[in-house]
Amino acid sequence: MADEQAEAELRDQFTEAFEGADFPVTNPMDLVPALPDGPGTRFEAGDVNFTAMELSTKLSDIQDFPYEDVESLVDDLIEGLKQKDML
């Protein structure tokens, strides 16, 4: 249950943080202007927490750019966190 709650919280945080990006985005740097604190933007849910830069670094081999919309980006981020046992 805690994992589901953390996933829902992170999904909301990612959507809020990245929905202002100019889609389609072709690489992680296209997302930086949308972040409130740039690469230092922190995401936290339950015991899970990391910055946008840490997220990008840890999931670089999983992300599949370009992304046409925020939903597909957030779906991949959540799936990547699960694959890396970070969620």
Side-chain angles (χ1 to χ4, degrees), residues 54-63 76-78 80-81 84 86:
E54 291 168 332
L55 180 67
S56 178
T57 301
K58 291 179 181 182
L59 300 183
S60 63
D61 59 331
I62 292 174
Q63 291 179 305
D76 265 11
L77 292 173
I78 295 294
L81 289 171
K84 298 281 185 169
M86 295 171 62

Side-chain angles (χ1 to χ4, degrees), residues 8-43:
E9 288 178 29
L10 287 173
R11 186 174 291 278
D12 288 346
Q13 290 176 38
F14 291 158
T15 300
E16 185 177 326
F18 295 121
E19 68 188 350
D22 187 16
F23 288 92
V25 293
T26 58
N27 63 63
M29 293 308 294
D30 289 347
L31 297 168
V32 173
L35 296 170
D37 294 321
T41 300
R42 183 160 291 282
F43 300 102

